[in-house]
Amino acid sequence: MSAIDEATLWDRLSNARRIPLNPTWLGEIFSPSLSDELRFAVAERLGMLAETGWPIIQTLIKQHGIQPEFIHAAGLCHQPEAKDWLLAQLNQSNTPDALLLNALSCWGSELTLTQFEHILQLPSQAQRLAGLNLLSFKSHQLQASELLQLCECTLQDWRDPVVIACIRLLQRRDEKVISDRLAKLVHNGSDGSAQAALKALGCIGTTHSKEQLKCLSLELTNPQRLAQAEQQLQQQF
């Protein structure tokens, strides 16, 4: 498709609020020859059309095969059939990419502990972050010990964004074992993860988390971490 034709399509997509898009038309104008960005934009619009968009997405999958833009669109449409299709893709892949995991995010509660164990040990940062996002929809169903066991590999990750994302997930829980693990991370983690763990202990705000902050304020030898622990402790009162 020529650049002029693509510009026309972009204009039509940008006016979707004023002139609603017809899902059949979106299916007809989709083509593998479109630029990557435009293919994703068309598929995204189909996903946003929910129950009227999903049948068109299914047709496009049959015509063009499983493409990244269709996975993204399936996640957006929030249809039970789309969920089943995405779960089938997950079950068929030994190394699901972040795109598929993010598409499944709102259905994280459907995944098994075995699936989470595998996902959270995938190598890339994007995969692990997507896995933690998925876990946020499942965590309320788990005992604190189960959650910690799943999270241990991400708490030991060498990349701060992964560890900090895990800390933010754990700080939603107020069990003693969670506060104990966060306090350990203050001692052994990087500066960034230690700071996040101290903030998490402050956010938890239980008697036990306050006790952990008191202990840290007495035990820490790193001046920066000590100051941060004392600041979080002061904020409790």
Side-chain angles (χ1 to χ4, degrees), residues 10-173:
W10 277 117
D11 287 342
R12 179 68 184 87
L13 294 178
S14 66
N15 288 323
R17 289 187 178 181
R18 185 168 56 87
I19 307 174
L21 296 170
N22 183 290
T24 302
W25 176 79
L26 286 168
E28 290 172 350
I29 60 112
F30 181 90
S31 169
S33 65
L34 297 174
S35 64
D36 291 349
E37 189 177 5
L38 186 52
R39 289 202 313 274
F40 263 87
V42 172
E44 188 172 82
R45 291 292 181 177
L46 281 168
M48 293 169 65
L49 290 173
E51 69 274 5
T52 59
W54 172 239
I56 306 301
I57 297 169
Q58 287 181 297
T59 299
L60 291 174
I61 292 170
K62 292 177 182 178
Q63 292 175 348
H64 306 292
I66 300 172
Q67 303 299 330
E69 55 267 31
F70 301 149
I71 292 173
H72 177 60
L76 291 175
C77 69
H78 296 266
Q79 298 302 296
E81 297 87 354
K83 175 198 71 175
D84 293 340
W85 181 76
L86 288 169
L87 287 172
Q89 305 314 305
L90 179 65
N91 292 330
Q92 293 169 16
S93 175
N94 289 325
T95 55
D97 60 21
L99 181 71
L100 174 58
L101 297 176
N102 283 322
L104 275 164
S105 62
C106 67
W107 294 301
S109 62
E110 303 278 341
L111 273 62
T112 66
L113 295 186
T114 300
Q115 287 174 313
F116 275 114
E117 288 172 359
H118 176 64
I119 291 168
L120 293 174
Q121 293 183 42
L122 292 171
S124 80
Q125 176 173 304
Q127 286 169 314
R128 292 197 174 193
L129 289 174
L132 287 168
N133 183 46
L134 267 173
L135 184 57
S136 69
F137 293 89
K138 179 79 170 183
S139 59
H140 66 283
Q141 300 176 0
L142 306 177
Q143 298 292 326
S145 57
E146 292 177 310
L147 182 59
L148 276 176
Q149 186 175 354
L150 283 177
C151 287
E152 190 56 38
C153 59
T154 53
L155 288 174
Q156 295 184 30
D157 198 291
W158 57 274
R159 294 159 293 203
D160 273 358
V162 174
V163 181
I164 292 170
C166 186
I167 290 169
R168 288 173 178 166
L169 173 62
L170 292 175
Q171 75 182 37
R172 303 176 187 177
R173 306 288 291 261

Side-chain angles (χ1 to χ4, degrees), residues 178-231:
I178 300 290
S179 293
D180 291 344
R181 184 63 183 90
L182 292 173
K184 183 178 178 181
L185 196 59
V186 175
H187 282 290
N188 302 329
S190 68
D191 288 342
S193 61
Q195 182 180 13
L198 284 165
K199 289 182 178 179
L201 286 169
C203 289
I204 291 172
T206 62
T207 299
H208 188 68
S209 66
K210 292 176 186 177
E211 290 174 353
Q212 287 290 6
L213 286 171
K214 289 179 183 178
C215 291
L216 289 167
S217 67
L218 296 173
E219 296 170 356
L220 290 170
T221 57
N222 180 301
Q224 183 179 10
R225 298 187 190 190
L226 176 60
Q228 291 167 349
E230 291 174 342
Q231 180 184 20

